[in-house]
């Protein structure tokens, strides 16, 4: 029997019990629909994250004080006092892969302007920092290298700080208090929005690192160095020379742990990929559970159908249907059922993710791969769970099937 | 109606075949044993018979005598436990299930007591069914199915579903289905078992026409001696054995019998007349 005929036969058999067919498909519809919707949401989030990573500069290399594992305990920046501006200068001087670097240390402080109060992080750095992070000012200017040398009381603020402290006032040239010291506001940075972890990147104040070291934190070391390599490949290639240079400068004996950590944009991308593959596995798990449940529904209905149609099977066999013909007929019916469920699920999933995008303002990105996977998996479910009932039908004895009441 | 002379086998053989030609069916010492675990049922115990092309045979015998069993074997729906079955000169007793399916499709037509039409499927599609499995192209399938329906006088009912047809019409559709692949033999297990006497004779008329005008070989099972009287040869089974094989004398002609019978309308008109109604015959 030719395929088109078998397919038409399947459609007709399914149309005969519309309600039953619809309910049987429901499992697959829900499974596929949910997966499509969740994947589009996940892809949307992923897209935002990637945008964020791009925004950080793909050539960036971060060197943070502290060790990944010092005696089994993770130590924060505060614990290690070995990373200095001299280290930074040595890196710039000795490692040509690195073209720019900026020191950084951070301190949380109470900040005041007029009767407005706020608690935020003050980061001490150099004007380079804003280049490395590709972060220009939207108004005013960044403090100068001379001001860094002088440890001047000047700062650049993020839009969140500007809004909270200054409201509708223009902050440029105004004096605000950081801790107990007056600081002149030189510029307001462009808004960066939230970072990958959902933190507000505009709730920041930057000042010369010298000022922060001497007048606010009272320390001589740094918490991290933000550097930028000549290219993305160079950022990865620079990790090893930086490591050996810093180990040498910090006199770390062979076998001991580093007292610093180096992260490149590539590492962050790796981390991101890991998170994504975990996410994918999770989604895959949900998808397979729902598809298996849908498949069991199909198997159940197909078994009922085979029993109900025993006589029909007997007649078909009597007039010349081979085992293969009968098996094919029921298999195609099961696959039609599961593929129709898959198709409806895809449509509902797409509509659902569009609704989410519009109503909840969540970014969604419709994934072609997920749609293809949904088609493949729903077909597979039909084949796998349709096989047993179809095989059972094919194995019927024609005489007994004809005699079946 | 029942007075017929009995003849012994060899003479019957000579008369039927004129002593020439290959038989369409040849059973050689066929046994069929159903193994039910504790007991074994011997449904057939050494049956040998031959049917030549163009014969019209009625298989008779009491219930449980093995009629359906032998029909299932003749129909390649079942295989003998022992013995051989030659269909059209080919030994089919050792064939695989798929090979048997192909034989059933190409060489055999079936008619059942229960009609066994597919419900909610038009008469035409029911008749087409064997051609579908024969791998024939759609247009040719429809052409053959229509032709087949015409042969049983139901061309005008092609689009009707079984539930829209009378029992006799359903059985005619089943016969049309049995004919559609131009089989060597038409096998019918109690084809009139579910029909009233008039409709039964109508079915016999169709079978007689097919046998006489087109030379179709027919083997049918029946309990009713007057139905057997429309055929050319009667085989009587008892306890799984062929007990008698005789030619039918004074064969009845279904068309003539029908002519002599009042039609349903006439009966209805008579009833109406007897009841003193004003009706003067419908339609
Ligand atoms: N599938 C089976 N399993 C076990 N025994 C069977 C089976 N089919 C038939 N038999 C037995 O074989 C014998 C012959 O049965 P068969 O159906 O051929 O009789 P029959 O002549 O067609 O009877 P009827 O006129 O009632 O249809 C019976 O004793 C029956 O019980
Ligand atoms: Mg029987």
């Amino acid at each position: 029997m030719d395929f088109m005929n078998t397919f038409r036969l399947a459609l007709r058999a399914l149309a005969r019990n519309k309600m039953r067919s619809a309910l049987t498909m429901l499992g697959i519809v829900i499974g596929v629909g949910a997966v499509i919707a969740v994947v589009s949401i996940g892809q949307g989030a992923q897209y935002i994250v990637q945008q964020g990573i791009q925004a950080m500069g793909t050539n960036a290399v971060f060197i943070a004080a502290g060790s990944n594992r010092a005696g089994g305990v993770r130590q924060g920046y505060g614990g290690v006092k070995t990373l200095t501006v001299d280290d930074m200068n040595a890196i710039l001087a000795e490692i040509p892969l690195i073209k720019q670097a900026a020191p950084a240390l951070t301190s949380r402080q109470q900040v005041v302007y007029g009767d407005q109060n706020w608690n935020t992080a003050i980061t001490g750095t150099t004007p380079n920092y804003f280049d490395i992070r590709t972060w220009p000012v939207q108004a005013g200017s960044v403090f100068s290298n001379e001001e860094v040398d002088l440890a001047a009381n000047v700062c650049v603020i993020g839009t969140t700080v500007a809004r909270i402290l200054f409201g509708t006032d223009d902050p440029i040239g105004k004096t605000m208090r950081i801790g107990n010291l007056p600081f002149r506001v030189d510029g307001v940075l462009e808004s960066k929005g939230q970072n990958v972890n959902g933190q507000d990147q505009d709730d920041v104040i930057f000042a010369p690192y010298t000022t922060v070291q001497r007048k606010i934190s009272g320390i001589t070391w740094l918490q991290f160095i933000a550097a930028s390599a000549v290219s993305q490949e160079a950022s990865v290639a620079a990790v090893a020379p930086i490591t050996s240079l810093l180990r040498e400068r910090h006199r770390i004996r062979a076998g001991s742990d580093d007292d610093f950590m180096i992260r490149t944009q590539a590492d962050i991308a790796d981390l991101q990929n890991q998170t994504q593959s975990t996410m994918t596995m999770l989604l895959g798990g949900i998808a397979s559970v729902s598809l298996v449940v849908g498949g069991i529904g199909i198997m159940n209905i197909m078994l009922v159908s085979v029993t109900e149609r025993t006589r029909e099977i007997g007649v078909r066999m009597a007039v010349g249907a081979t085992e293969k013909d009968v098996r094919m007929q029921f298999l195609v019916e099961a696959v039609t059922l599961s593929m129709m469920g898959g198709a409806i699920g895809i449509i509902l999933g797409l509509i659902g993710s569009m609704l989410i995008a519009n109503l909840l303002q969540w970014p969604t990105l419709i994934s072609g791969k997920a749609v293809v996977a949904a088609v493949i998996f729903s077909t597979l479910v039909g084949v796998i769970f349709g096989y047993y009932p179809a095989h059972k039908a094919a194995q019927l004895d024609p005489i007994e099937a004809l005699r079946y009441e | 109606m029942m007075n017929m002379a009995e003849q012994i086998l060899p003479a019957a053989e000579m008369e039927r075949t004129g002593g020439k030609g290959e038989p369409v069916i040849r059973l050689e010492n066929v046994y069929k044993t159903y193994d039910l675990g504790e007991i074994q049922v011997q449904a057939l115990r050494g049956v040998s018979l031959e049917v030549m092309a163009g014969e019209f045979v009625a298989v008779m015998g009491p219930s449980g005598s093995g009629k359906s069993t032998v029909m299932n074997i003749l129909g390649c729906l079942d295989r003998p436990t022992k013995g051989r079955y030659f269909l059209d000169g080919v030994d089919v007793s050792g064939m695989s299930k798929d090979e048997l399916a192909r034989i059933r499709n190409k060489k055999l037509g079936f008619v059942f007591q229960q009609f066994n039409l597919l419900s909610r499927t038009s008469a035409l599609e029911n008749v087409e069914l064997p051609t579908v499995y024969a791998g024939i192209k759609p247009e040719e399938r429809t052409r053959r199915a229509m032709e087949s329906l015409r042969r049983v006088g139901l061309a005008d009912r092609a689009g009707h579903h079984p539930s829209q047809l009378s029992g006799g019409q359903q059985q005619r559709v089943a016969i049309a289905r049995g004919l559609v692949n131009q089989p060597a033999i038409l096998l019918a297990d109690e084809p009139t078992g579910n029909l009233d006497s008039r409709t039964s004779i109508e079915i016999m008329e169709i079978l007689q026409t097919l046998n006489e005008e087109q030379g179709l070989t027919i083997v049918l099972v029946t309990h009713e001696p007057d139905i057997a009287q429309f055929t050319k040869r009667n085989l009587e089974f008892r306890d799984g054995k062929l007990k008698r094989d005789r030619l039918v004398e004074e064969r009845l002609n279904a068309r003539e019998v029908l002519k002599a019978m009042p039609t349903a309308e006439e009966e209805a008109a008579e009833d109406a007349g007897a009841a003193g109604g004003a009706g003067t015959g419908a339609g």
Side-chain angles (χ1 to χ4, degrees):
Chain A
M1 180 145 72
D2 57 294
F3 182 77
M4 267 325 285
N5 210 71
T6 314
F7 183 65
R8 262 214 326 275
L9 204 67
L11 283 184
R12 210 198 292 176
L14 296 177
R16 221 161 256 179
N17 283 302
K18 287 193 189 66
M19 190 63 175
R20 188 158 97 182
S21 304
L23 289 174
T24 308
M25 273 188 265
L26 207 56
I28 303 280
V29 170
I30 291 172
V32 168
V35 168
I36 295 283
V38 172
V39 168
S40 342
I41 294 167
Q43 296 263 315
Q46 176 80 27
Y47 177 73
I48 298 281
V49 166
Q50 271 161 2
Q51 293 277 300
I53 289 171
Q54 291 292 319
M56 302 261 281
T58 49
N59 303 345
V61 179
F62 294 94
I63 302 148
S67 101
N68 230 345
R69 222 175 291 107
V73 182
R74 219 171 227 271
Q75 246 178 308
Y77 306 132
V80 178
K81 306 174 180 179
T82 48
L83 194 68
T84 63
V85 173
D86 291 341
D87 287 335
M88 183 186 89
N89 292 331
I91 291 168
L92 278 172
E94 292 179 32
I95 299 166
L97 292 171
I98 298 297
K99 72 164 191 265
Q100 266 189 318
L105 72 161
T106 295
S107 166
R108 279 207 89 81
Q109 293 294 327
Q110 200 66 20
V111 295
V112 184
Y113 175 75
D115 54 359
Q116 300 299 315
N117 237 298
W118 186 239
N119 188 285
T120 189
I122 319 299
T123 302
T125 187
T126 59
N128 269 350
Y129 184 82
F130 304 99
D131 286 342
I132 292 165
R133 293 209 51 193
T134 52
W135 199 356
V137 288
Q138 63 175 17
S141 60
V142 172
F143 46 82
S144 67
N145 281 317
E146 289 72 44
E147 283 169 320
V148 172
D149 291 343
L150 292 169
N153 286 12
V154 289
C155 68
V156 179
I157 61 177
T159 51
T160 302
V161 174
R163 196 183 66 245
I164 290 169
L165 288 189
F166 295 92
T168 54
D169 288 1
D170 179 9
I172 310 295
K174 301 270 165 39
T175 301
M176 59 183 278
R177 294 180 71 80
I178 299 176
N180 295 321
L181 301 172
F183 276 73
R184 190 184 76 228
V185 179
D186 276 0
V188 178
L189 290 162
E190 270 188 2
S191 173
K192 266 197 182 279
Q194 293 184 346
N195 72 2
V196 176
N197 303 319
Q199 285 166 345
D200 180 4
Q201 297 183 89
D202 299 319
D203 187 10
V204 285
I205 298 177
F206 291 97
Y209 81 92
T210 44
T211 314
V212 177
Q213 274 187 334
R214 293 172 208 166
K215 298 181 181 174
I216 294 176
S217 302
I219 57 172
T220 57
W221 58 87
L222 298 175
Q223 285 164 338
F224 64 97
I225 296 167
S228 134
V230 294
S231 68
Q232 191 169 358
E233 295 78 53
S235 72
V236 179
V239 172
I242 295 172
T243 306
S244 53
L245 178 66
L246 289 182
R247 285 181 70 90
E248 188 187 309
R249 288 182 59 84
H250 296 180
R251 297 195 174 78
I252 297 167
R253 267 178 274 127
S256 301
D257 284 337
D258 296 343
D259 62 353
F260 55 89
M261 287 176 286
I262 304 176
R263 286 274 171 278
T264 64
Q265 211 48 72
D267 291 336
I268 295 169
D270 275 358
L271 202 72
Q272 202 53 53
N273 285 343
Q274 263 177 36
T275 321
Q276 204 207 339
S277 61
T278 312
M279 186 79 167
T280 309
M281 270 162 61
L282 201 73
L283 286 176
I286 297 168
S288 34
V289 168
S290 58
L291 285 174
V292 164
V293 171
I296 291 168
I298 288 179
M299 178 142 84
N300 183 30
I301 285 303
M302 290 312 295
L303 284 172
V304 170
S305 180
V306 167
T307 308
E308 279 177 353
R309 284 151 69 190
T310 299
R311 224 171 218 273
E312 175 193 327
I313 296 165
V315 171
R316 287 178 184 280
M317 286 176 156
V319 303
T322 57
E323 285 184 20
K324 186 166 154 271
D325 288 326
V326 173
R327 193 181 311 122
M328 230 14 201
Q329 181 187 341
F330 283 90
L331 203 54
V332 166
E333 212 171 300
V335 172
T336 305
L337 206 53
S338 71
M339 280 180 81
M340 274 167 72
I344 295 170
I346 288 169
I347 292 166
L348 290 186
L350 294 183
I351 291 173
S353 61
M354 280 191 273
L355 282 180
I356 289 166
N358 286 336
L359 299 182
L360 301 178
Q361 299 295 328
W362 283 5
T364 61
L365 198 70
I366 284 152
S367 155
K369 267 192 224 158
V371 171
V372 172
V375 171
I376 292 172
F377 277 103
S378 53
T379 310
L380 272 181
V381 162
V383 173
I384 292 167
F385 289 92
Y387 189 82
Y388 174 66
H391 182 71
K392 223 180 139 189
Q395 291 302 310
L396 285 175
D397 176 57
I399 300 167
E400 274 163 33
L402 279 167
R403 223 186 267 145
Y404 186 83
E405 290 302 322
Chain B
M1 232 190 244
M2 298 291 290
N3 55 338
M4 63 189 93
E6 285 174 22
Q7 282 181 275
I8 53 163
L9 257 164
E13 188 81 23
M14 288 307 287
E15 177 150 333
R16 261 178 14 249
T17 64
K20 58 178 178 343
E22 269 278 305
V24 190
I25 289 171
R26 193 166 92 232
L27 291 184
E28 277 181 6
N29 203 22
V30 162
Y31 284 80
K32 181 72 195 181
T33 309
Y34 292 105
D35 193 347
L36 301 179
E38 284 168 32
I39 49 159
Q40 295 196 330
V41 181
Q42 290 210 307
L44 294 180
R45 298 191 283 183
V47 176
S48 297
L49 64 90
E50 284 185 358
V51 176
M52 308 305 284
E55 280 201 85
F56 190 177
V57 181
V59 175
M60 305 191 64
S63 190
S65 56
K67 305 184 295 293
S68 294
T69 306
V70 81
M71 285 296 271
N72 288 339
I73 288 172
L74 292 181
C76 293
L77 289 164
D78 208 351
R79 281 174 286 206
T81 313
K82 211 171 89 186
R84 306 226 278 172
Y85 171 26
F86 293 88
L87 173 61
D88 240 1
V90 180
D91 185 358
V92 297
S93 26
M95 281 189 173
S96 74
K97 281 171 104 178
D98 277 2
E99 284 171 319
L100 289 179
R102 238 154 258 139
I103 297 266
R104 290 197 296 271
N105 184 246
K106 299 252 150 58
K107 299 211 164 164
L108 301 166
F110 290 92
V111 176
F112 306 95
Q113 181 176 356
Q114 319 287 348
F115 318 142
N116 278 334
L117 298 176
L118 302 187
S119 59
R120 289 193 275 181
T121 304
S122 71
L124 183 70
E125 283 172 294
N126 265 292
V127 176
E128 270 185 29
L129 199 61
T131 65
V132 169
Y133 293 110
I136 293 166
K137 294 222 164 56
E139 313 83 65
E140 176 65 7
R141 291 208 294 252
T142 312
R143 199 191 61 73
R144 285 203 199 175
M146 276 312 293
E147 169 58 27
S148 207
L149 276 174
R150 211 166 289 125
R151 282 161 84 182
V152 299
L154 277 181
D156 55 335
R157 299 292 156 89
H160 289 227
H161 288 189
S163 59
Q164 299 163 329
L165 297 169
S166 72
Q169 287 170 332
Q170 288 185 53
Q171 195 60 302
R172 276 148 73 188
V173 172
I175 292 170
R177 179 179 64 192
L179 297 175
V180 75
N181 273 351
Q182 289 145 346
I185 317 161
L186 187 72
L187 297 167
D189 196 344
E190 305 201 38
T192 61
N194 276 8
L195 301 173
D196 62 46
S197 57
R198 187 189 165 82
T199 318
S200 297
I201 298 169
E202 283 171 1
I203 293 297
M204 292 315 290
E205 183 202 353
I206 288 171
L207 294 180
Q208 270 189 339
T209 310
L210 288 169
N211 173 251
E212 269 154 37
E213 291 175 11
Q214 302 175 26
L216 182 70
T217 313
I218 302 173
V219 178
L220 65 77
V221 171
T222 184
H223 271 120
E224 299 162 73
D226 34 353
I227 290 295
Q229 202 64 16
F230 290 102
T231 67
K232 292 178 179 169
R233 176 186 175 196
N234 290 354
L235 301 175
E236 206 170 313
F237 278 73
R238 205 175 293 269
D239 297 329
K241 284 182 178 157
L242 181 54
K243 272 285 176 274
R244 250 192 263 169
D245 182 352
R246 65 198 176 195
L247 289 184
V248 177
E249 293 203 333
E250 295 178 38
R251 211 152 80 83
L252 292 170
N253 181 304
R255 193 166 301 146
E256 279 161 17
V257 173
L258 279 174
K259 256 183 226 154
M261 276 176 99
T263 64
E265 285 96 63
E266 281 163 357
E267 265 172 21
E270 262 168 38
D271 289 349
T280 51

